[in-house]
Amino acid sequence: MQLHPYLSFTGCAKEAIELYCKALNGKIEHTATYAEQPEMLKTLPEGWGDKVMHTSMSAGEIVIMASDVVLGENGPCAIKELNYAASPVSLSINCAS
């Protein structure tokens, strides 16, 4: 079983995942931006086309995933509040079948 952290950022996911890659000698496996989803992009603030809808990196057996989220009430990727005291991290469990 592997645990994969999924990190939420408010606009700096690309920079963060690049930093983790450098620090862990890892490799970015996949990145998708909001610009790749024109219908979703219509609901986001101006300038969010280059923000990260999903990215993942690996370093050995470590996998870290991340995305940018919009603070607010509306939109497909909106969250009301990013509470760092409660941690903006979710975990994905990958079980071998």
Side-chain angles (χ1 to χ4, degrees):
M1 176 174 58
Q2 296 175 320
L3 293 175
H4 304 295
Y6 200 108
L7 309 175
S8 298
F9 295 92
T10 56
C12 62
K14 178 178 186 260
E15 294 82 2
I17 211 78
E18 288 172 352
L19 175 68
Y20 300 147
C21 276
K22 186 175 180 181
L24 298 170
N25 195 27
K27 170 183 155 187
I28 294 176
E29 298 291 341
H30 173 76
T31 298
T33 65
Y34 288 108
E36 296 171 45
Q37 297 293 325
E39 289 302 312
M40 184 183 286
L41 186 58
K42 292 177 188 176
T43 68
L44 299 173
E46 189 174 324
W48 266 67
D50 65 339
K51 301 300 178 193
V52 174
M53 185 170 61
H54 175 77
T55 189
S56 63
M57 61 84 54
S58 64
E61 298 216 8
I62 298 169
V63 174
I64 299 174
M65 299 176 285
S67 66
D68 286 314
V69 295
V70 176
L71 296 179
E73 300 286 335
N74 301 315
C77 62
I79 58 172
K80 188 172 184 178
E81 177 181 4
L82 195 57
N83 185 345
Y84 287 100
S87 183
V89 176
S90 60
L91 292 176
S92 170
I93 300 173
N94 185 14
C95 298
S97 53

